[in-house]
Amino acid sequence: SSELTQDPAVSVALGQTVTITCQGNSLRSYYPTWYQQKPGQAPVLVIYGKNNRPSGIPDRFSGSSSENTASLTITGAQAEDEADYYCNCRDSSRSHWVFGGGTKLTVL
Amino acid sequence: EVQLVESGGGLVQPGGSLRLSCAASGFTFGTYDMHWVRQPTGKGLEWVSAIDSAGDTYYAGSVKGRFAISRDDAKNSLFLQMNGLRPGDTAIYYCHISVYALDVWGQGTTVTVSS
């Protein structure tokens, strides 16, 4: 079972704001990384650290964390944002890393 | 350009062994932690193993004692020796580096464990 918990599916109307959450005790010690994965493709980093976007990631993507919960927010979702999203961080024991179960985002 | 290229996947019978390789280029390989991540068809990402720049190794509980990660910094290569393979190990295996904005995935290599 995953030590990071995500909602399996979320939907958002085109142009609206959506938040994808990730819960786990490790998040009290580490910021997560967030990945976007489209069918047939390798994951792509969208947020790392406190709230950092790699070059090429639109500024509609943002991240935040509080206690044992981390959030990925897409402000003004676009059709191309439809994908699976995963959170990932090191376990607080430092003995392993873990991914959340993933959230399938549908843009209506 | 940072690039990771996996090889070594294939079809193997339960209980068999495979050795995956990952060739790295475009960065100073020996200074970074490296990971293996797998994804069964239609399912989520699962972290498998990591090795840090000092050679310390880390494993998911599901593979500990069966898989062994190693690296050859002189050849910019990462390896995953997989023994005692089970049908549940069937997945695409990705080589991965994740250091702040330096986050790169290989194209993956497919491992199928079936009789």
Side-chain angles (χ1 to χ4, degrees):
Chain A
S1 62
S2 175
E3 296 168 28
L4 292 178
T5 302
Q6 297 183 239
D7 291 329
V10 171
S11 62
V12 61
L14 185 66
Q16 296 303 299
T17 296
V18 63
T19 296
I20 296 169
T21 61
C22 173
Q23 289 190 306
N25 284 330
S26 297
L27 299 173
R28 298 180 185 275
S29 305
Y30 297 101
Y31 291 115
T33 51
W34 287 96
Y35 294 96
Q36 175 193 72
Q37 188 181 34
K38 297 181 179 180
Q41 299 181 18
V44 172
L45 177 70
V46 293
I47 293 289
Y48 68 97
K50 189 174 183 180
N51 179 19
N52 300 290
R53 283 175 291 105
S55 174
I57 300 301
D59 60 7
R60 62 179 179 271
F61 289 88
S62 63
S64 64
S65 289
S66 178
E67 300 292 329
N68 71 331
T69 300
S71 300
L72 173 69
T73 299
I74 307 174
T75 304
Q78 302 300 302
E80 61 264 31
D81 299 334
E82 187 163 288
D84 295 325
Y85 290 85
Y86 297 91
C87 57
N88 168 236
C89 76
R90 191 169 192 173
D91 182 76
S92 53
S93 69
R94 297 177 59 82
S95 66
H96 61 278
W97 282 255
V98 62
F99 283 90
T103 297
K104 182 177 183 61
L105 176 67
T106 300
V107 180
L108 304 171
Chain B
E1 179 192 5
V2 176
Q3 195 171 13
L4 300 172
V5 179
E6 303 94 337
S7 61
L11 173 64
V12 62
Q13 292 189 339
S17 298
L18 277 177
R19 188 186 194 220
L20 306 185
S21 299
C22 172
S25 60
F27 65 102
T28 309
F29 179 78
T31 62
Y32 293 106
D33 302 352
M34 296 296 299
H35 299 256
W36 288 99
V37 177
R38 68 185 181 185
Q39 186 171 36
T41 301
K43 297 190 176 181
L45 300 170
E46 180 187 9
W47 177 82
V48 173
S49 182
I51 184 167
D52 66 20
S53 57
D56 292 332
T57 59
Y58 307 86
Y59 299 96
S62 58
V63 306
K64 197 168 187 178
R66 299 188 297 125
F67 290 11
I69 191 172
S70 61
R71 64 192 300 161
D72 183 337
D73 293 343
K75 295 184 177 179
N76 291 342
S77 294
L78 177 71
F79 306 100
L80 186 68
Q81 177 66 43
M82 305 186 295
N83 299 326
L85 283 162
R86 305 166 179 168
D89 296 318
T90 295
I92 298 173
Y93 283 72
Y94 294 101
C95 175
H96 177 217
I97 178 173
S98 177
V99 181
Y100 302 112
L102 175 60
D103 192 287
V104 179
W105 298 70
Q107 84 288 353
T109 187
T110 298
V111 172
T112 303
V113 184
S114 175
S115 55

